[in-house]
Amino acid sequence: MPTTADFLQYTQWSGIATIAFAVLTILAFILKWGLRFRLVGTTGFMIVLTAGLFSLSLVPLSRTVIPGAVKYTLVYDNGSNQAVIATTPEITPEELEATLRQAASNLYSYGRLGAGGNNQLTIRARTIIHPEPGISIPVYLGKVQRTLASRQDPEMAVEVYLDKFAQLPEAKA
């Protein structure tokens, strides 16, 4: 994954190319070339591209890595205070707790607003089991609640529903 330093370098090269296109566009207008208006569009695009790369050089793109966490998929997010992640049925309670903590850290954003006065982000973890062919049942394995007020939440509440793990199929060796 590119780092902010990489994006800063890309911004520099894109800025040089933008200046080159701007000079070429001015030259095209002075010499009345037929492609001068296409160069205006190209220069405008390069300005937008350079600005985008510059903004990516300011914001860190790193994700939190918590030991023991497994891969999850975000299946629902209302953009406010609720989200649901999906895991594999072979997950253990310890892996689920670490995965919920990682999801709570990765899904935190300053742009989230609490709906209805609820200032807590709630992330539920679920998996799908297939007791019979053609039948799929979602099983909620746990949840985590964290504050939306700050990135660091020492009072993050993680709940693992141990009784739901009995419904999961046995791991195949």
Side-chain angles (χ1 to χ4, degrees):
M1 173 179 257
T3 63
T4 54
D6 293 336
F7 280 113
L8 187 59
Q9 185 177 9
Y10 303 154
T11 302
Q12 291 171 349
W13 284 106
S14 181
I16 291 168
T18 302
I19 292 170
F21 274 110
V23 168
L24 191 61
T25 302
I26 292 169
L27 184 63
F29 270 96
I30 292 172
L31 299 176
K32 299 195 187 297
W33 291 346
L35 60 108
R36 62 184 176 248
F37 296 108
R38 292 180 189 163
L39 286 173
V40 170
T42 304
T43 304
F45 172 75
M46 289 301 298
I47 290 170
V48 171
L49 181 66
T50 303
L53 288 170
F54 178 70
S55 67
L56 288 172
S57 72
L58 297 176
V59 179
L61 298 173
S62 60
R63 294 283 187 193
T64 303
V65 177
I66 297 193
V70 297
K71 184 180 176 207
Y72 65 87
T73 305
L74 182 66
V75 293
Y76 173 78
D77 188 352
N78 70 356
S80 176
N81 62 349
Q82 293 184 19
V84 177
I85 61 170
T87 63
T88 63
E90 292 82 23
I91 195 167
T92 65
E94 295 79 23
E95 291 172 334
L96 178 67
E97 182 176 353
T99 303
L100 283 168
R101 289 185 184 280
Q102 182 169 329
S105 178
N106 288 343
L107 294 177
Y108 174 80
S109 170
Y110 292 110
R112 289 186 181 271
L113 300 172
N118 184 359
N119 200 24
Q120 294 284 321
L121 171 62
T122 302
I123 302 170
R124 291 180 172 80
R126 69 135 169 95
T127 190
I128 303 285
I129 60 171
H130 307 283
E132 297 176 23
I135 296 178
S136 299
I137 299 174
V139 178
Y140 285 88
L141 301 173
K143 73 176 181 178
V144 61
Q145 289 186 308
R146 62 158 301 137
T147 183
L148 289 171
S150 68
R151 177 165 288 285
Q152 302 301 325
D153 185 7
E155 298 176 13
M156 189 181 316
V158 179
E159 286 183 56
V160 176
Y161 308 141
L162 295 174
D163 56 325
K164 300 292 185 176
F165 279 87
Q167 297 178 13
L168 299 180
E170 296 296 322
K172 297 175 182 154

